[in-house]
């Protein structure tokens, strides 16, 4: 199912600026011949804004906080916050051991309806790690949004954890753009 937000022009722009070929080890440890250098689309202010605008309709109604995962989810959640007016939280991989010693910075999502925001999802491991911290604190996200679902098991792994992954684009949509 393709939505207006996943128009071929946006998929093509993302592919042209960020798709690399070669041999790459992914966070999951798997080796792939395709890699999306998300920092290329995240550092392009026009493309990043267009991505945020396209993600906007995918946010569940009633969402009160957008929680971006370190590091790639941070630019996306910041721009998404700008285009929606919904406050942003920033989720660290590890709680810092100084200052506030928190794993989450920015807007509090405690007791609020919130979604996780990620750049590229392969195995879903980074989201699952964040989810474990949040659940230990009694917090449950509504869903996880991402720019690209690589279609390599992440959506299924998150479903097993009871979390729905809502991608802007899939690997197949980007490849066919």
């Amino acid at each position: 199912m393709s939505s207006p937000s996943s128009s071929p022009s946006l998929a093509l722009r993302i592919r042209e600026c960020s798709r690399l070929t070669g041999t790459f080890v992914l966070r999951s440890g798997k080796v792939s011949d395709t890699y999306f250098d998300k920092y290329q689309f995240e550092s392009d202010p026009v493309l990043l804004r267009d991505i945020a605008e396209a993600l906007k309709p995918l946010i569940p109604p009633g969402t009160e906080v957008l929680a971006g995962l370190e590091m790639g989810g941070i630019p996306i959640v910041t721009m998404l916050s700008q285009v929606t007016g919904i406050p942003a939280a920033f989720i660290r991989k590890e709680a810092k051991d100084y200052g506030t010693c928190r794993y989450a910075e920015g807007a509090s999502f405690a007791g609020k309806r919130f979604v996780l925001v990620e750049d590229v999802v392969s195995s879903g491991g980074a989201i699952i790690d964040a989810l474990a911290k949040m659940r230990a604190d009694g917090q449950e996200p509504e869903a996880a949004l991402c720019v690209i679902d690589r279609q390599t098991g992440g959506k299924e792994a998150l479903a097993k954890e009871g979390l729905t992954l809502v991608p802007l684009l899939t690997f197949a949509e980007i490849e066919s753009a």
Side-chain angles (χ1 to χ4, degrees):
M1 173 177 105
S2 187
S3 67
S5 63
S6 59
S7 68
S9 61
L10 185 59
L12 181 61
R13 289 167 59 205
I14 290 170
R15 186 181 80 199
E16 287 178 344
C17 87
S18 67
R19 184 181 182 275
L20 304 175
T21 56
T23 302
F24 305 94
V25 178
L26 305 177
R27 180 190 186 279
S28 64
K30 292 181 182 175
V31 176
S32 176
D33 62 357
T34 303
Y35 183 76
F36 293 99
D37 184 354
K38 64 224 174 203
Y39 300 113
Q40 297 306 306
F41 65 74
E42 292 176 346
S43 63
D44 178 325
V46 174
L47 184 52
L48 182 58
R49 182 173 183 90
D50 290 347
I51 288 168
E53 290 287 355
L55 280 168
K56 192 167 142 176
L58 303 180
I59 299 169
T63 297
E64 298 171 280
V65 177
L66 305 167
L69 275 60
E70 179 185 358
M71 173 168 156
I74 302 298
I76 295 163
V77 80
T78 301
M79 183 63 78
L80 192 54
S81 177
Q82 286 293 304
V83 301
T84 62
I86 299 171
F90 311 107
I91 310 303
R92 296 176 180 276
K93 291 176 184 165
E94 297 295 330
K96 57 185 190 171
D97 59 3
Y98 59 91
T100 62
C101 300
R102 294 187 291 216
Y103 71 85
E105 303 289 350
S108 173
F109 50 83
K112 295 182 180 170
R113 292 186 63 177
F114 70 99
V115 296
L116 300 178
V117 179
E118 183 62 302
D119 48 19
V120 179
V121 173
S122 295
S123 68
I127 295 173
I128 291 169
D129 290 349
L131 190 57
K133 291 180 185 113
M134 293 172 178
R135 285 180 171 163
D137 284 343
Q139 305 305 316
E140 187 69 36
E142 299 284 317
L145 307 180
C146 70
V147 178
I148 302 170
D149 174 5
R150 286 183 57 90
Q151 298 177 292
T152 52
K155 188 171 196 164
E156 295 78 10
L158 293 172
K160 285 181 185 173
E161 294 290 327
L163 188 65
T164 301
L165 179 67
V166 182
L168 175 62
L169 295 162
T170 64
F171 182 83
E173 288 171 323
I174 291 174
E175 288 297 289
S176 67

PDB file of all heavy atoms in Angstrom, residues 96-108:
ATOM      1  N   LYS A  96      23.341   8.886  30.333  1.00  0.00           N
ATOM      2  CA  LYS A  96      24.646   9.488  30.607  1.00  0.00           C
ATOM      3  C   LYS A  96      24.983   9.309  32.083  1.00  0.00           C
ATOM      4  O   LYS A  96      24.089   9.165  32.916  1.00  0.00           O
ATOM      5  CB  LYS A  96      24.689  10.948  30.155  1.00  0.00           C
ATOM      6  CG  LYS A  96      23.647  11.854  30.738  1.00  0.00           C
ATOM      7  CD  LYS A  96      23.752  13.229  30.104  1.00  0.00           C
ATOM      8  CE  LYS A  96      22.868  14.201  30.869  1.00  0.00           C
ATOM      9  NZ  LYS A  96      23.070  15.563  30.465  1.00  0.00           N
ATOM     10  N   ASP A  97      26.266   9.281  32.386  1.00  0.00           N
ATOM     11  CA  ASP A  97      26.689   9.034  33.772  1.00  0.00           C
ATOM     12  C   ASP A  97      27.091  10.314  34.494  1.00  0.00           C
ATOM     13  O   ASP A  97      27.831  10.277  35.463  1.00  0.00           O
ATOM     14  CB  ASP A  97      27.806   7.984  33.814  1.00  0.00           C
ATOM     15  CG  ASP A  97      29.023   8.400  33.012  1.00  0.00           C
ATOM     16  OD1 ASP A  97      29.042   9.520  32.460  1.00  0.00           O
ATOM     17  OD2 ASP A  97      29.974   7.597  32.943  1.00  0.00           O
ATOM     18  N   TYR A  98      26.569  11.428  34.017  1.00  0.00           N
ATOM     19  CA  TYR A  98      26.836  12.716  34.647  1.00  0.00           C
ATOM     20  C   TYR A  98      25.589  13.589  34.505  1.00  0.00           C
ATOM     21  O   TYR A  98      24.650  13.219  33.797  1.00  0.00           O
ATOM     22  CB  TYR A  98      28.054  13.399  34.007  1.00  0.00           C
ATOM     23  CG  TYR A  98      27.877  13.631  32.523  1.00  0.00           C
ATOM     24  CD1 TYR A  98      27.340  14.823  32.036  1.00  0.00           C
ATOM     25  CD2 TYR A  98      28.226  12.647  31.598  1.00  0.00           C
ATOM     26  CE1 TYR A  98      27.159  15.030  30.675  1.00  0.00           C
ATOM     27  CE2 TYR A  98      28.044  12.850  30.244  1.00  0.00           C
ATOM     28  CZ  TYR A  98      27.516  14.043  29.789  1.00  0.00           C
ATOM     29  OH  TYR A  98      27.329  14.251  28.449  1.00  0.00           O
ATOM     30  N   GLY A  99      25.588  14.709  35.156  1.00  0.00           N
ATOM     31  CA  GLY A  99      24.446  15.631  35.060  1.00  0.00           C
ATOM     32  C   GLY A  99      23.156  14.967  35.506  1.00  0.00           C
ATOM     33  O   GLY A  99      23.055  14.448  36.609  1.00  0.00           O
ATOM     34  N   THR A 100      22.178  14.935  34.610  1.00  0.00           N
ATOM     35  CA  THR A 100      20.867  14.377  34.956  1.00  0.00           C
ATOM     36  C   THR A 100      20.838  12.851  34.977  1.00  0.00           C
ATOM     37  O   THR A 100      19.909  12.266  35.522  1.00  0.00           O
ATOM     38  CB  THR A 100      19.797  14.846  33.951  1.00  0.00           C
ATOM     39  OG1 THR A 100      20.153  14.356  32.649  1.00  0.00           O
ATOM     40  CG2 THR A 100      19.672  16.367  33.926  1.00  0.00           C
ATOM     41  N   CYS A 101      21.819  12.221  34.355  1.00  0.00           N
ATOM     42  CA  CYS A 101      21.923  10.748  34.289  1.00  0.00           C
ATOM     43  C   CYS A 101      20.678  10.108  33.665  1.00  0.00           C
ATOM     44  O   CYS A 101      20.297   8.994  34.009  1.00  0.00           O
ATOM     45  CB  CYS A 101      22.195  10.154  35.670  1.00  0.00           C
ATOM     46  SG  CYS A 101      23.729  10.734  36.404  1.00  0.00           S
ATOM     47  N   ARG A 102      20.065  10.781  32.715  1.00  0.00           N
ATOM     48  CA  ARG A 102      18.858  10.265  32.071  1.00  0.00           C
ATOM     49  C   ARG A 102      19.176   9.646  30.715  1.00  0.00           C
ATOM     50  O   ARG A 102      20.122  10.046  30.052  1.00  0.00           O
ATOM     51  CB  ARG A 102      17.848  11.387  31.850  1.00  0.00           C
ATOM     52  CG  ARG A 102      17.312  11.965  33.143  1.00  0.00           C
ATOM     53  CD  ARG A 102      16.202  12.939  32.886  1.00  0.00           C
ATOM     54  NE  ARG A 102      16.709  14.145  32.244  1.00  0.00           N
ATOM     55  CZ  ARG A 102      16.243  15.359  32.482  1.00  0.00           C
ATOM     56  NH1 ARG A 102      15.258  15.541  33.327  1.00  0.00           N
ATOM     57  NH2 ARG A 102      16.749  16.394  31.857  1.00  0.00           N
ATOM     58  N   TYR A 103      18.315   8.725  30.295  1.00  0.00           N
ATOM     59  CA  TYR A 103      18.413   8.195  28.939  1.00  0.00           C
ATOM     60  C   TYR A 103      17.509   8.980  27.985  1.00  0.00           C
ATOM     61  O   TYR A 103      17.640   8.844  26.781  1.00  0.00           O
ATOM     62  CB  TYR A 103      18.083   6.691  28.890  1.00  0.00           C
ATOM     63  CG  TYR A 103      16.630   6.357  29.120  1.00  0.00           C
ATOM     64  CD1 TYR A 103      15.707   6.374  28.079  1.00  0.00           C
ATOM     65  CD2 TYR A 103      16.176   6.025  30.387  1.00  0.00           C
ATOM     66  CE1 TYR A 103      14.374   6.086  28.299  1.00  0.00           C
ATOM     67  CE2 TYR A 103      14.851   5.725  30.612  1.00  0.00           C
ATOM     68  CZ  TYR A 103      13.954   5.758  29.565  1.00  0.00           C
ATOM     69  OH  TYR A 103      12.636   5.470  29.780  1.00  0.00           O
ATOM     70  N   ALA A 104      16.597   9.781  28.530  1.00  0.00           N
ATOM     71  CA  ALA A 104      15.702  10.597  27.711  1.00  0.00           C
ATOM     72  C   ALA A 104      15.872  12.063  28.074  1.00  0.00           C
ATOM     73  O   ALA A 104      15.882  12.422  29.256  1.00  0.00           O
ATOM     74  CB  ALA A 104      14.258  10.172  27.918  1.00  0.00           C
ATOM     75  N   GLU A 105      16.005  12.888  27.062  1.00  0.00           N
ATOM     76  CA  GLU A 105      16.173  14.332  27.235  1.00  0.00           C
ATOM     77  C   GLU A 105      15.050  15.051  26.494  1.00  0.00           C
ATOM     78  O   GLU A 105      14.372  14.469  25.654  1.00  0.00           O
ATOM     79  CB  GLU A 105      17.528  14.791  26.677  1.00  0.00           C
ATOM     80  CG  GLU A 105      18.733  14.096  27.272  1.00  0.00           C
ATOM     81  CD  GLU A 105      19.033  14.497  28.711  1.00  0.00           C
ATOM     82  OE1 GLU A 105      18.427  15.457  29.230  1.00  0.00           O
ATOM     83  OE2 GLU A 105      19.880  13.829  29.315  1.00  0.00           O
ATOM     84  N   GLY A 106      14.896  16.323  26.763  1.00  0.00           N
ATOM     85  CA  GLY A 106      13.869  17.111  26.077  1.00  0.00           C
ATOM     86  C   GLY A 106      12.529  16.949  26.752  1.00  0.00           C
ATOM     87  O   GLY A 106      12.437  16.797  27.970  1.00  0.00           O
ATOM     88  N   ALA A 107      11.463  16.944  25.947  1.00  0.00           N
ATOM     89  CA  ALA A 107      10.106  16.843  26.473  1.00  0.00           C
ATOM     90  C   ALA A 107       9.911  15.520  27.207  1.00  0.00           C
ATOM     91  O   ALA A 107      10.377  14.481  26.765  1.00  0.00           O
ATOM     92  CB  ALA A 107       9.095  16.962  25.332  1.00  0.00           C
ATOM     93  N   SER A 108       9.212  15.574  28.318  1.00  0.00           N
ATOM     94  CA  SER A 108       8.891  14.360  29.063  1.00  0.00           C
ATOM     95  C   SER A 108       7.746  13.636  28.364  1.00  0.00           C
ATOM     96  O   SER A 108       6.776  14.254  27.932  1.00  0.00           O
ATOM     97  CB  SER A 108       8.472  14.704  30.489  1.00  0.00           C
ATOM     98  OG  SER A 108       8.003  13.543  31.142  1.00  0.00           O
TER      99      SER A 108
END
